[in-house]
mmCIF file of all heavy atoms in Angstrom:
data_model
loop_
_atom_site.group_PDB
_atom_site.id
_atom_site.type_symbol
_atom_site.label_atom_id
_atom_site.label_comp_id
_atom_site.label_asym_id
_atom_site.label_seq_id
_atom_site.Cartn_x
_atom_site.Cartn_y
_atom_site.Cartn_z
ATOM 1 N N LEU R 599 58.369 107.763 125.690
ATOM 2 C CA LEU R 599 59.254 107.756 124.583
ATOM 3 C C LEU R 599 60.190 108.970 124.584
ATOM 4 O O LEU R 599 61.310 108.877 124.388
ATOM 5 C CB LEU R 599 58.411 107.654 123.376
ATOM 6 C CG LEU R 599 57.606 106.318 123.110
ATOM 7 C CD1 LEU R 599 56.976 106.447 121.646
ATOM 8 C CD2 LEU R 599 58.602 105.062 123.084
ATOM 9 N N ASN R 600 59.518 110.028 124.889
ATOM 10 C CA ASN R 600 60.247 111.374 124.915
ATOM 11 C C ASN R 600 61.340 111.380 126.026
ATOM 12 O O ASN R 600 62.356 112.134 125.880
ATOM 13 C CB ASN R 600 59.383 112.524 125.120
ATOM 14 C CG ASN R 600 58.478 112.883 123.929
ATOM 15 O OD1 ASN R 600 58.821 112.490 122.812
ATOM 16 N ND2 ASN R 600 57.365 113.526 124.158
ATOM 17 N N GLU R 601 61.175 110.650 127.091
ATOM 18 C CA GLU R 601 62.126 110.460 128.089
ATOM 19 C C GLU R 601 63.168 109.465 127.771
ATOM 20 O O GLU R 601 64.127 109.224 128.716
ATOM 21 C CB GLU R 601 61.411 110.183 129.534
ATOM 22 C CG GLU R 601 60.569 111.226 129.991
ATOM 23 C CD GLU R 601 61.320 112.392 130.352
ATOM 24 O OE1 GLU R 601 62.431 112.307 130.975
ATOM 25 O OE2 GLU R 601 60.793 113.538 130.052
ATOM 26 N N GLY R 602 63.151 108.822 126.672
ATOM 27 C CA GLY R 602 64.185 107.947 126.220
ATOM 28 C C GLY R 602 63.943 106.397 126.608
ATOM 29 O O GLY R 602 64.927 105.641 126.386
ATOM 30 N N HIS R 603 62.750 106.089 127.026
ATOM 31 C CA HIS R 603 62.499 104.758 127.421
ATOM 32 C C HIS R 603 61.606 104.014 126.170
ATOM 33 O O HIS R 603 61.022 104.647 125.440
ATOM 34 C CB HIS R 603 61.600 104.612 128.568
ATOM 35 C CG HIS R 603 62.214 105.366 129.863
ATOM 36 N ND1 HIS R 603 63.323 104.692 130.503
ATOM 37 C CD2 HIS R 603 62.019 106.578 130.427
ATOM 38 C CE1 HIS R 603 63.716 105.529 131.441
ATOM 39 N NE2 HIS R 603 62.924 106.593 131.558
ATOM 40 N N ARG R 604 61.805 102.737 126.113
ATOM 41 C CA ARG R 604 61.094 101.888 125.112
ATOM 42 C C ARG R 604 60.111 101.066 125.809
ATOM 43 O O ARG R 604 60.469 100.257 126.760
ATOM 44 C CB ARG R 604 62.117 101.014 124.323
ATOM 45 C CG ARG R 604 61.415 100.278 123.256
ATOM 46 C CD ARG R 604 62.454 99.512 122.454
ATOM 47 N NE ARG R 604 61.819 98.625 121.392
ATOM 48 C CZ ARG R 604 62.499 97.716 120.780
ATOM 49 N NH1 ARG R 604 63.675 97.525 120.677
ATOM 50 N NH2 ARG R 604 61.736 97.021 119.796
ATOM 51 N N LEU R 605 58.784 101.183 125.382
ATOM 52 C CA LEU R 605 57.728 100.476 125.952
ATOM 53 C C LEU R 605 56.823 100.088 124.911
ATOM 54 O O LEU R 605 56.282 100.919 124.212
ATOM 55 C CB LEU R 605 57.087 101.044 127.168
ATOM 56 C CG LEU R 605 56.276 100.210 128.057
ATOM 57 C CD1 LEU R 605 57.005 99.056 128.656
ATOM 58 C CD2 LEU R 605 55.553 101.097 129.227
ATOM 59 N N THR R 606 56.590 98.821 124.648
ATOM 60 C CA THR R 606 55.736 98.267 123.437
ATOM 61 C C THR R 606 54.247 98.846 123.643
ATOM 62 O O THR R 606 53.726 98.561 124.648
ATOM 63 C CB THR R 606 55.775 96.842 123.292
ATOM 64 O OG1 THR R 606 57.115 96.472 122.986
ATOM 65 C CG2 THR R 606 54.936 96.450 122.049
ATOM 66 N N PRO R 607 53.618 99.457 122.664
ATOM 67 C CA PRO R 607 52.172 99.850 122.795
ATOM 68 C C PRO R 607 51.270 98.571 122.453
ATOM 69 O O PRO R 607 51.682 97.812 121.668
ATOM 70 C CB PRO R 607 52.091 100.917 121.674
ATOM 71 C CG PRO R 607 53.128 100.484 120.571
ATOM 72 C CD PRO R 607 54.323 99.856 121.406
ATOM 73 N N LEU R 608 50.134 98.569 123.233
ATOM 74 C CA LEU R 608 49.203 97.494 123.004
ATOM 75 C C LEU R 608 47.851 97.922 123.059
ATOM 76 O O LEU R 608 47.610 99.110 123.361
ATOM 77 C CB LEU R 608 49.374 96.501 124.305
ATOM 78 C CG LEU R 608 50.701 95.782 124.468
ATOM 79 C CD1 LEU R 608 50.868 95.085 125.808
ATOM 80 C CD2 LEU R 608 50.931 94.727 123.392
ATOM 81 N N ALA R 609 46.926 97.117 122.545
ATOM 82 C CA ALA R 609 45.531 97.464 122.648
ATOM 83 C C ALA R 609 44.894 96.322 123.487
ATOM 84 O O ALA R 609 45.397 95.201 123.665
ATOM 85 C CB ALA R 609 44.863 97.542 121.290
ATOM 86 N N GLU R 610 43.707 96.516 124.038
ATOM 87 C CA GLU R 610 42.986 95.492 124.838
ATOM 88 C C GLU R 610 41.523 95.623 124.812
ATOM 89 O O GLU R 610 40.984 96.844 124.480
ATOM 90 C CB GLU R 610 43.485 95.713 126.403
ATOM 91 C CG GLU R 610 42.938 96.911 126.996
ATOM 92 C CD GLU R 610 43.336 97.000 128.513
ATOM 93 O OE1 GLU R 610 43.888 96.098 129.165
ATOM 94 O OE2 GLU R 610 43.000 98.043 129.101
ATOM 95 N N LEU R 611 40.881 94.624 125.001
ATOM 96 C CA LEU R 611 39.360 94.643 125.143
ATOM 97 C C LEU R 611 38.933 94.828 126.487
ATOM 98 O O LEU R 611 37.944 95.556 126.855
ATOM 99 C CB LEU R 611 38.778 93.316 124.482
ATOM 100 C CG LEU R 611 38.873 93.081 123.068
ATOM 101 C CD1 LEU R 611 38.150 91.766 122.622
ATOM 102 C CD2 LEU R 611 38.166 94.261 122.285
#
Side-chain angles (χ1 to χ4, degrees):
L599 297 182
N600 289 340
E601 292 296 318
H603 301 285
R604 180 181 177 183
L605 195 58
T606 301
L608 298 165
E610 68 177 355
L611 289 180

